[in-house]
Amino acid sequence: MTDRAAHDLTPPIRIPAGLVVLVGPPASGRTSFVRALVEGRQVDVEAVVSSDEIRAELFGAVAEPAGSDAADAVDARIFEERDRRIVARLAAGLSVIAESTNVIPQARERLIGLARRFDVPVTVLRFAPDVADLLQQYAERGRADLTAADVRAYATVMSRDAGADRLRSEGAAAVHDVPGRRQSVTPAEAAARFVLRFRDGRSGYHLT
């Protein structure tokens, strides 16, 4: 049986209301997956808090040199705004998807801390394609802000620091791998395998 056929026979995964943290290197398919969730009316666009989108909103396409004081200040402002938006939704009793790489433990610790403030579960969705697929997806997207070496470095950190057991030990209530190119699964097909739930327990296709 192929990987895809096995996935096709798997019942949909039900995700409880709370904080959904996406974990995966650049070009691993996180953004395409979220876009498919929105386009399929499984989540409202307001439920997704993306650090890349916040960067574009606040600073446009201009990127500071990595490691510079200016770059550090930009990153601090972006994550401050990201946290503010996440807190606003959780405080209102609404679920939220945190869309950024989150491959390092410190990034996840910050997010899990926000969830604990509101006593909501954290569900982690992992995007872990093999390096060959990851580099192919990176090449296809033509990103100018990263090099192939950067992508490889993110993948190495992901492999070392973002295994399922590690994520559970950090406080994730559940960890699920999102299928992708290796399983011949499109973003829309992957998105359809998850059913999101309302805060009051009602099933639905909107993470609200």
Side-chain angles (χ1 to χ4, degrees), residues 7 10-16 19-24 33 101-103 108 112 121-128 158-159 161-179 193-194:
H7 277 285
T10 303
I13 295 170
R14 298 185 179 276
I15 297 182
L19 176 62
V20 180
V21 177
L22 307 189
V23 175
F33 174 79
T101 58
N102 299 317
V103 296
R108 299 189 297 269
I112 291 169
V122 175
T123 301
V124 173
L125 301 184
R126 294 177 74 251
F127 297 76
M158 173 86 181
S159 177
D161 294 335
D165 289 342
R166 171 68 178 266
L167 295 168
R168 292 188 189 96
S169 73
E170 292 173 354
V175 179
H176 304 289
D177 284 342
V178 178
R193 296 178 183 190
F194 294 87

Side-chain angles (χ1 to χ4, degrees), residues 172-188:
V175 179
H176 304 289
D177 284 342
V178 178
R181 176 172 296 187
R182 183 172 51 183
Q183 297 83 18
S184 300
V185 174
T186 68

